[in-house]
């Protein structure tokens, strides 16, 4: 055995030498060492480079990413409160208000939308090194999604006259806040534009990024408008609640910003054009519809202690998936009960509507729908030729399938 082989062999466990490695030629040892190096690189690629194991929140890599994500929030908040590029001659009082408003509304949810930016980006970068700066930029866009979500929820809770959100009183329900929450909701959305401009104005994809956010903002606002207008229409005649109109509301109000936006941000960060991934967009939109149907189901049948809020869709005359299904299936007597009780805050009226839902077996119908749409999404995802895109969609589906909150 030559000097090189001896040097390599000296670092090999004795058990492997006894197994026959000592009989190999120096060239064979080097080839085996090369294969071992490749295997180690593959392991590092999966765990450090952003593979699926690191992207899923159940793994150690996912937990580490979440911790880094939460630290990024603190940095962004401090910049908004103290940086000259963000604040406008804040007084101590206004700075304290904004700090409290941000902490109350932005980071207290499940953070799935923001973390999905990171998950998606790491999968797209699989096999390449992601440095701290690149990772932080993914965190920034992830928090922009959470900021947008917070803005939507603050305003949506007011229009819905909701009482609780994320296990707490809605922001506007706090005695010191009230209707000033409307301005806070607008301010949260303005923060998004300021953050994006600060961090991305020198990037080659800045215009595409701004166009994406402007488009999603408009779509979400249009979805909210459709929701409110349809509610007024349904209050005059419940029979006008139909599945086509429902899907239109959900597509614009929920799907675009909750499912498509995080992945589109990751694509732009990776230098790709979201417009080149039309099928990906379609699948994400369909997932968003499924997600909202789950939300409607949980609003009625979920445990408030688990979902973190008290559902008000029945009281608010919402065009929910449940009432749409009920209007299709109800007999004459059940239809009368729905007309007489839907949209009223009286607990007895709410109970009467829920009783009709149970008589119509809407819980079983939902479970059948969930099983059917899951199988369809799985088959669609499996047919996706791009491995990274396939894994992104699988993670999204895993997060929402049979969720309880």
């Amino acid at each position: 055995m030559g000097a090189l082989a001896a040097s390599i062999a000296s670092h090999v466990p004795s058990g492997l030498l006894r197994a026959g490695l000592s009989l190999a030629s120096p060239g064979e040892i080097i080839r085996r060492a090369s294969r071992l190096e490749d295997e180690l690189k593959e392991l590092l690629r999966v765990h450090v480079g952003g593979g699926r194991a690191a992207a899923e929140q159940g793994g150690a890599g996912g937990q580490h990413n979440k911790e880094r994500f939460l630290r990024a929030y603190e940095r962004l908040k401090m910049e908004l409160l103290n940086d000259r590029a963000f604040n406008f001659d804040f007084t101590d009082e206004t700075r304290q208000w904004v700090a409290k408003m941000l902490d109350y509304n932005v980071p207290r949810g499940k953070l799935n939308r923001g973390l999905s930016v990171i998950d998606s980006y790491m999968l797209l970068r699989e096999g390449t090194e992601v440095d701290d700066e690149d990772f932080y930029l993914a965190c920034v866009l992830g928090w922009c999604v959470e900021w947008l979500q917070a803005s939507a929820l603050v305003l949506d809770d007011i229009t819905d006259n909701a009482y609780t959100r994320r296990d707490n009183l809605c922001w506007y329900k706090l005695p010191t806040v009230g209707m000033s929450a409307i301005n806070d909701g607008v301010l949260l959305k303005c923060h998004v534009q300021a953050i994006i401009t600060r961090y991305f104005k020198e990037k080659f994809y800045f215009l595409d990024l701004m166009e994406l956010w402007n488009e999603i903002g408009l779509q979400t606002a249009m979805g909210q408008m459709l929701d409110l207008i349809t509610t007024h229409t349904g209050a005059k005649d419940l029979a006008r609640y139909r599945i086509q109109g429902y899907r239109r509301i959900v597509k614009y109000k929920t799907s675009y910003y909750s499912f498509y936006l995080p992945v589109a941000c990751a694509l732009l960060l990776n230098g790709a054009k979201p417009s080149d991934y039309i099928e990906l967009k379609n699948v994400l939109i369909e997932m968003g519809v499924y997600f909202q149907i789950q939300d409607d189901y949980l609003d009625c049948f979920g445990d408030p202690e688990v979902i973190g809020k008290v559902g008000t869709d029945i009281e608010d005359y919402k065009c929910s998936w449940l009432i749409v299904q009920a209007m299709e299936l109800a007999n004459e007597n059940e239809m009368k009960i729905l007309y007489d009780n839907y949209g009223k805050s009286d607990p007895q009226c709410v109970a009467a509507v829920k009783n009709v839902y149970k008589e119509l077996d809407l819980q079983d119908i939902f479970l059948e729908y969930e099983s059917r749409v899951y199988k369809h999404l799985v088959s669609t995802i499996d047919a996706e030729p791009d491995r990274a895109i396939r894994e992104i969609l699988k993670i999204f589906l895993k997060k929402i399938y049979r969720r309880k909150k």
Side-chain angles (χ1 to χ4, degrees):
M1 184 182 293
L4 177 60
S7 175
I8 295 175
S10 69
H11 293 83
V12 177
S14 59
L16 290 181
L17 289 172
R18 286 194 298 271
L21 186 58
S22 61
L23 300 178
S25 66
E28 177 61 18
I29 293 175
I30 293 173
R31 282 193 291 274
R32 294 186 190 184
S34 178
R35 287 197 296 272
L36 177 60
E37 182 181 19
D38 289 341
E39 291 173 4
L40 289 172
K41 285 181 177 179
E42 174 65 13
L43 288 172
L44 290 172
R45 180 180 69 83
V46 171
H47 291 286
V48 179
R52 182 177 180 181
E56 292 182 356
Q57 290 306 305
Q63 183 59 37
H64 180 58
N65 287 349
K66 185 174 183 179
E67 291 169 359
R68 295 173 72 184
F69 185 59
L70 289 170
R71 289 198 296 271
Y73 166 76
E74 294 298 332
R75 175 175 166 181
L76 288 170
K77 183 181 74 171
M78 287 300 103
E79 288 173 349
L80 284 168
L81 295 174
N82 299 303
D83 196 300
R84 290 180 179 273
F86 282 156
N87 78 62
F88 301 90
D89 296 326
F90 276 174
T91 64
D92 287 341
E93 184 180 20
T94 56
R95 186 176 285 106
Q96 289 171 8
W97 178 276
V98 174
K100 178 182 177 182
M101 185 268 290
L102 291 176
D103 286 343
Y104 198 92
N105 293 293
V106 177
R108 297 173 74 170
K110 297 185 289 293
L111 306 181
N112 280 340
R113 293 168 179 82
L115 289 169
S116 291
V117 177
I118 297 173
D119 293 347
S120 301
Y121 179 63
M122 298 298 278
L123 284 165
L124 291 169
R125 288 289 301 271
E126 191 173 43
T128 62
E129 182 182 357
V130 178
D131 60 28
D132 288 343
E133 181 181 355
D134 288 342
F135 187 89
Y136 181 69
L137 289 180
C139 289
V140 170
L141 285 180
W143 278 116
C144 284
V145 178
E146 291 295 332
W147 244 271
L148 179 64
Q149 162 79 345
S151 171
L153 295 184
V154 166
L155 298 174
D156 200 45
D157 285 342
I158 297 171
T159 59
D160 290 347
N161 195 31
Y163 191 76
T164 56
R165 171 73 66 180
R166 294 171 172 173
D167 295 318
N168 289 283
L169 285 174
C170 295
W171 175 243
Y172 83 101
K173 284 292 186 181
L174 297 183
T176 56
V177 179
M179 288 300 106
S180 63
I182 296 173
N183 189 70
D184 291 332
V186 174
L187 181 60
L188 285 165
K189 190 171 182 181
C190 291
H191 282 168
V192 173
Q193 298 298 322
I195 293 170
I196 290 176
T197 300
R198 176 185 176 87
Y199 279 97
F200 298 96
K201 65 181 178 180
E202 302 300 329
K203 303 295 184 182
F204 71 90
Y205 51 80
F206 174 65
L207 290 179
D208 290 329
L209 191 60
M210 291 298 292
E211 182 178 340
L212 170 68
W213 278 86
N214 289 333
E215 179 184 359
I216 297 297
L218 176 60
Q219 289 165 332
T220 305
M222 291 292 287
Q224 177 71 352
M225 181 189 72
L226 286 171
D227 189 20
L228 295 172
I229 290 175
T230 304
T231 298
H232 292 313
T233 302
K236 299 175 183 177
D237 183 6
L238 272 180
R240 299 183 71 171
Y241 282 164
R242 288 287 182 260
I243 193 64
Q244 294 85 356
Y246 172 81
R247 289 182 64 88
R248 187 181 304 113
I249 294 169
V250 171
K251 175 181 176 181
Y252 288 101
K253 184 179 178 181
T254 302
S255 291
Y256 278 106
Y257 91 91
S258 295
F259 286 80
Y260 176 62
L261 178 60
V263 179
C265 285
L267 287 169
L268 285 170
L269 274 176
N270 198 44
K273 289 275 191 180
S275 57
D276 293 336
Y277 294 83
I278 300 301
E279 184 57 29
L280 168 65
K281 181 178 182 178
N282 292 337
V283 176
L284 290 167
I285 295 303
E286 188 60 33
M287 280 193 195
V289 173
Y290 165 40
F291 176 86
Q292 186 59 55
I293 290 173
Q294 286 177 314
D295 227 39
D296 292 353
Y297 175 84
L298 293 172
D299 184 274
C300 179
F301 295 113
D303 182 352
E305 295 294 325
V306 175
I307 64 176
K309 64 178 182 177
V310 178
T312 60
D313 283 358
I314 293 174
E315 296 94 319
D316 295 337
Y317 237 116
K318 284 291 182 181
C319 179
S320 81
W321 182 81
L322 293 169
I323 191 62
V324 168
Q325 297 300 312
M327 295 305 295
E328 290 287 338
L329 300 171
N331 60 32
E332 185 176 342
N333 181 59
E334 292 163 337
M335 194 75 74
K336 184 178 186 306
I337 294 173
L338 292 173
Y339 270 101
D340 289 344
N341 294 279
Y342 200 75
K344 296 180 180 178
S345 298
D346 186 333
Q348 291 185 343
C349 294
V350 174
V353 172
K354 289 187 177 182
N355 188 55
V356 171
Y357 288 171
K358 291 175 181 176
E359 289 178 355
L360 295 172
D361 295 324
L362 291 190
Q363 289 172 286
D364 288 339
I365 290 173
F366 167 76
L367 293 175
E368 290 173 4
Y369 160 78
E370 185 170 45
S371 177
R372 185 171 65 254
V373 75
Y374 177 76
K375 290 177 182 177
H376 168 71
L377 288 170
V378 167
S379 64
T380 303
I381 293 169
D382 286 343
E384 167 60 47
D386 187 308
R387 181 181 180 277
I389 297 300
R390 195 166 61 245
E391 295 303 325
I392 288 170
L393 292 172
K394 285 181 179 179
I395 288 174
F396 266 92
L397 186 56
K398 181 178 179 179
K399 286 180 179 179
I400 64 174
Y401 180 52
R402 290 188 174 175
R403 67 188 178 97
K404 301 300 180 184
K405 61 180 181 179

